[in-house]
Amino acid sequence: NYAWRLPQKQSWLMNRNVPIQPLGDRTTQYNKFIDGCVAHIGEYVRGFLGISTCALAERGRLKMNLQQPPSMINYTDTGFKKIRLPDAVFQQIISFWRDNNRKKPNAEKWARSNTYTNNWEAPSYILPIPYTKTANGMPLKDLITSTARDIISEWTGQDLKLASIYGIRIYTSNSILAPHVDRLPLISSAIINVAQDLDDPW
């Protein structure tokens, strides 16, 4: 489940006979990803350490991946759970999507050297969730928030406070979402898969 590679502590000798993983040559894909970032912002943009700002951003991503998890408290056994959203809530979201997905969404703005996505090649978009009321009289955004909060709270056994809620994020063809951890204090989160149109299953 990794876009390309994890930090390796084993030596090359230990891995010399290990075949390429089932996902293929991810190192080449990784290098292409970083080269795309550099080409996007300009090869000669340098940070204070004399390296590209893409490399600095990537160092930050990897540093968070390595350092943040050990500092966290585990509230569950596995760290994730896949469930179905209550049908009444999901149908409200689907209805909103069907009524609005033909409208021009807002292009998502990323820092130019951000390496969480390959936004320079495959831009992502946001369809904001409005405060218009649903059939039960509750605004859709509030309905999603309260439903997610109650489910996650029951799962983790914790009282939760809302930090943020995005709209419907639309990833375009060839999008990459790099392995990452959310910044503090975003401790627990949920993703709702609203719709998908794929060439290949994932």
Side-chain angles (χ1 to χ4, degrees), residues 106-174:
N106 299 325
E108 198 165 13
K109 294 181 179 180
W110 298 88
R112 293 189 68 197
S113 59
N114 184 286
T115 56
Y116 280 41
T117 71
N118 60 333
N119 58 88
W120 51 85
E121 177 184 354
S124 57
Y125 299 88
I126 289 286
L127 181 62
I129 301 292
Y131 278 101
T132 52
K133 292 186 178 181
T134 58
N136 67 359
M138 179 183 290
L140 181 57
K141 182 173 282 189
D142 291 347
L143 179 62
I144 296 170
T145 299
S146 61
T147 302
R149 183 188 60 233
D150 292 347
I151 292 173
I152 298 173
S153 182
E154 181 180 358
W155 175 52
T156 61
Q158 304 297 312
D159 292 328
L160 302 177
K161 180 180 179 181
L162 176 67
S164 61
I165 178 173
Y166 300 113
I168 298 176
R169 176 177 283 152
I170 304 166
Y171 289 105
T172 53
S173 182
N174 297 316

Side-chain angles (χ1 to χ4, degrees), residues 16-157:
R16 68 187 186 281
N17 295 320
V18 176
I20 293 177
Q21 60 161 311
L23 292 178
D25 181 7
R26 306 312 295 170
T27 298
T28 297
Q29 292 300 316
Y30 176 81
N31 291 335
K32 178 182 177 183
F33 175 82
I34 296 299
D35 289 345
C37 178
V38 172
H40 171 64
I41 68 172
E43 185 175 1
Y44 300 104
V45 176
R46 300 289 170 178
F48 65 91
L49 294 178
I51 62 176
S52 74
T53 51
C54 290
L56 286 175
E58 183 66 353
R59 283 186 182 182
R61 182 184 71 83
L62 294 173
K63 183 178 180 181
M64 283 185 65
N65 284 356
L66 290 170
Q67 294 184 354
Q68 183 167 306
S71 70
M72 306 302 293
I73 296 174
N74 292 330
Y75 296 116
T76 65
D77 292 333
T78 59
F80 73 95
K81 187 175 183 180
K82 181 180 177 182
I83 65 170
R84 289 190 177 277
L85 200 64
D87 188 63
V89 178
F90 188 64
Q91 290 306 317
Q92 296 284 354
I93 298 173
I94 288 296
S95 178
F96 168 77
W97 170 250
R98 288 173 178 165
D99 291 343
N100 294 277
N101 71 353
R102 297 299 180 187
K103 297 178 181 178
K104 187 176 182 180
N106 299 325
E108 198 165 13
K109 294 181 179 180
W110 298 88
R112 293 189 68 197
S113 59
N114 184 286
T115 56
Y116 280 41
T117 71
N118 60 333
N119 58 88
W120 51 85
E121 177 184 354
S124 57
Y125 299 88
I126 289 286
L127 181 62
I129 301 292
Y131 278 101
T132 52
K133 292 186 178 181
T134 58
N136 67 359
M138 179 183 290
L140 181 57
K141 182 173 282 189
D142 291 347
L143 179 62
I144 296 170
T145 299
S146 61
T147 302
R149 183 188 60 233
D150 292 347
I151 292 173
I152 298 173
S153 182
E154 181 180 358
W155 175 52
T156 61

